[in-house]
């Protein structure tokens, strides 16, 4: 029996593993990107497993910017709370926030697109 809870767990797992929202098997990204070598993440145009087109229309992923913004704010709040717990000076907190934003930029880029596809695509 395939119940709703299993379905949610499966979707959550697929989001974390950046899998296709339709078949949950094909990888969305061909390259994950690397902040340190400035290699940006690369997306497959179509799912390698089921062939669904990821970018439904031009500008489809503009909305993912809002998701990316939300992720960045969440990461900054967490970084701030951790540093504030250790009574870090404000200058260190700002530098740490810059580092957090830089290091998580490609992660946010990928994850925002995946979340965007899972929220707004009914397959
Ligand atoms: Zn697929």
């Amino acid at each position: 029996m395939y119940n709703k809870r299993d379905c949610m767990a499966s979707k959550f797992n697929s989001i974390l593993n950046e899998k296709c929202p339709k078949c949950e098997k094909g990888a969305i990204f061909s390259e994950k990107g690397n902040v340190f070598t400035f290699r940006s993440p690369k997306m497959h145009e179509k799912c390698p497993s089921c062939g669904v087109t990821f970018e439904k229309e031009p500008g489809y992923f503009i909305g993912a910017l809002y998701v990316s913004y939300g992720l960045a704010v969440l990461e900054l709040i967490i970084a701030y709370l951790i540093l504030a717990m250790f009574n870090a000076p404000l200058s260190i907190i700002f530098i740490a926030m810059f580092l957090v934003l830089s290091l998580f930029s490609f992660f946010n880029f990928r994850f925002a697109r995946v979340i965007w596809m899972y929220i707004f695509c009914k397959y």
Side-chain angles (χ1 to χ4, degrees):
M1 187 77 194
Y2 192 65
N3 65 31
K4 192 169 180 156
R5 191 171 174 188
D6 289 340
C7 181
M8 292 291 285
S10 161
K11 290 277 182 210
F12 188 69
N13 221 3
S14 298
I15 290 172
L16 289 181
N17 291 314
E18 300 169 350
K19 297 294 182 187
C20 165
K22 185 180 178 190
C23 67
E24 298 183 28
K25 286 181 186 130
I28 294 172
F29 291 92
S30 56
E31 259 183 65
K32 293 206 169 205
N34 189 329
V35 175
F36 302 108
T37 57
F38 300 106
R39 291 178 64 105
S40 60
K42 301 235 182 319
M43 258 183 104
H44 287 290
E45 216 167 275
K46 293 172 185 277
C47 174
S49 181
C50 70
V52 70
T53 306
F54 291 133
E55 189 169 8
K56 299 282 172 216
E57 58 197 11
Y60 174 72
F61 288 113
I62 288 175
L65 292 172
Y66 297 107
V67 179
S68 180
Y69 174 75
L71 288 171
V73 168
L74 191 72
E75 290 155 6
L76 289 179
I77 289 172
I78 290 169
Y80 174 79
L81 290 177
I82 289 170
L83 289 169
M85 223 166 51
F86 294 104
N87 294 322
L90 203 56
S91 58
I92 298 293
I93 290 176
F94 278 124
I95 291 168
M97 287 182 158
F98 175 76
L99 287 175
V100 164
L101 279 182
S102 303
L103 292 176
F104 282 91
S105 59
F106 288 170
F107 169 81
N108 289 348
F109 174 87
R110 291 193 326 262
F111 217 50
R113 285 183 173 214
V114 172
I115 290 171
W116 185 254
M117 280 194 282
Y118 272 82
I119 290 174
F120 292 106
C121 281
K122 304 286 175 242
Y123 294 103

